[in-house]
Structures are given as C-alpha cells and as structure tokens.
Amino acid sequence: MPAGSIRARVRAEMVTEIKTVARRHLATDGANLSLRAVARDMGMVSSALYRYFASRDDLLTALIIDAYNALGGAAEKADAEFPDRGDLRGRLLAVGRAIRHWALASPAEYALIFGSPVPGYAAPADTVVAAQRTPDVLLGIFVDGFAANAVRAPVAALVPALRADMVAARDAIAPSLPPEVFAHGTIAWIHLFGAVSFELFGQLNNVIVARDEYFDYQMGQIAGLVGLG
C-alpha cells in the first residue's frame, strides 16, 4: 500500500476516534467542548489534536455535520422504505417515528443541532447541505401529494410579508409548491421537531406516560392540520 494511502487511513481513523471521544463529552458536558479534555482522554497533548482539528469550532462543525447526516439518513430511509407512496399520512408518521427514534437514541447529538445555540459558535455554510436532508424528506411528501392532487389547499391566505418569505424559501427548496402549501410543510416540520424536543428535553415528564401513542396521535393531528390526505 502506498505511503500516502497509509497516512490517509491513519488520519481518518484518528479523526473518527477524536469525534467518538468528543461525542462522549457531549453526552456528559453538553456542547461546551474542550479540545484539551478530548486530548487528555486520548492520551495526547492538546497541540497534537490541532493537526486534525484547527479549533474547537472545527470539531463542533464536524460533529454537527455528522449529526445532521445521521438524522437525514434515518429520515430518508424511513420514507424510501414506506411501501405506499400515496399514503401521505403514513409516510409522515414513518418519517416522524424515525426522527424521534434517532433523537431518543442520540440525545446529545440531537441537542447539539436542535438545542440551545453554542455560545461563541457560528455554524459555517458547510453545515447547510447536511442540515437540508431532513426537511427535504418532509417537504418531498408535500411535493408528491401536491402533484397527485392529494394535498388540501390551505384556507388561510398569507399576508404579503410572509408570502414573500415563503416564496424565497420555497424557490430554494421545493419550487413546484404553491407558497401556501409550502408554508403548511414548514408547519409540519416545526411541529414534528417541537414534539420530539418536548419529549427529549423532559417537558412530558410526569405528564405523559404513553409516549409512543402520544407521538403518533400528534403526527395524525399535524397531518390533518396541514392537509395531508
């Protein structure tokens, strides 16, 4: 094997190990990552870590992109494997369940991308493509439903300022949708993640015991609210 290939493999393995240790810190310390602490756990001096990540923000960005990709992959898989493409409510429920399952299994990563902003950190443009994967799946359900004339047209009109926002966002993501239908897609997206966040961050503790059933109930109500089916 060429020396360059060996170095690339060793570097990739080291990057993977660094991110694995950093995720453990996310679980115990939140997003307040310390490269020094990560290096200490790996038995390295902190200066050695800078050969792989130039700063804490670079490491955070790598973890954020990984989390968005993992979540997006779970959503894409759930939608792709759903057998009846015309069952819009069923697809929304399947995707919602996959998002919730991933969040409950990876609470620290979910909190990193949907929790409180990390002080002093500004996400670079590198995160956008990965972040877009999950909303693309959700809006894809509306695109398919609208093409099949299976999405109820929203009754409420958009005021001009809001319509302008929806048109701008729609043009970049789902240009085939009327702004009103796109707006309903954003409502489904926000409500879904609100339901997941409420459960994950403890807002349902001592209130709701039947968590699976309650989540499915919410998804059914959201589907009806936004005109799916």
Side-chain angles (χ1 to χ4, degrees):
M1 181 181 292
S5 297
I6 294 174
R7 284 196 297 271
R9 185 184 67 187
V10 170
R11 180 178 180 82
E13 290 172 352
M14 183 61 71
V15 166
T16 297
E17 185 177 354
I18 291 169
K19 291 195 290 187
T20 298
V21 173
R23 288 189 187 98
R24 289 204 295 267
H25 278 269
L26 284 180
T28 57
D29 305 326
N32 187 27
L33 276 181
S34 163
L35 288 185
R36 188 181 302 275
V38 172
R40 183 179 62 244
D41 284 3
M42 296 181 66
M44 302 168 59
V45 295
S46 56
S47 58
L49 218 60
Y50 288 101
R51 294 201 297 267
Y52 303 95
F53 294 98
S55 66
R56 178 210 69 161
D57 285 5
D58 283 353
L59 178 53
L60 274 176
T61 296
L63 296 175
I64 287 168
I65 290 173
D66 284 354
Y68 274 131
N69 278 326
L71 176 60
E76 289 164 358
K77 183 174 185 291
D79 188 44
E81 293 180 352
F82 193 79
D84 184 355
R85 308 307 297 164
D87 181 0
L88 306 180
R89 287 172 176 253
R91 287 171 62 186
L92 179 67
L93 177 58
V95 171
R97 284 173 172 171
I99 291 170
R100 174 175 176 259
H101 178 78
W102 181 85
L104 294 178
S106 309
E109 287 87 348
Y110 182 90
L112 179 63
I113 55 178
F114 292 111
S116 299
V118 179
Y121 174 79
D126 296 356
T127 61
V128 172
V129 173
Q132 192 60 48
R133 290 177 66 178
T134 300
D136 279 349
V137 174
L138 294 170
L139 287 168
I141 297 172
F142 284 83
V143 170
D144 291 350
F146 182 73
N149 199 30
V151 176
R152 291 199 313 275
V155 175
L158 300 174
V159 298
L162 179 56
R163 184 180 179 85
D165 286 342
M166 290 297 109
V167 168
R170 185 269 327 256
D171 289 350
I173 302 172
S176 65
L177 292 180
E180 291 79 8
V181 175
F182 180 84
H184 267 193
T186 66
I187 290 171
W189 175 24
I190 292 168
H191 279 228
L192 192 163
F193 279 95
V196 172
S197 294
F198 247 62
E199 178 176 3
L200 193 68
F201 298 143
Q203 302 302 318
L204 301 183
N205 292 353
N206 303 315
V207 179
I208 303 295
V209 176
R211 301 287 178 84
D212 294 347
E213 294 83 355
Y214 185 53
F215 182 80
D216 288 358
Y217 170 78
Q218 290 179 88
M219 289 303 98
Q221 295 302 304
I222 291 168
L225 172 67
V226 298
L228 292 183

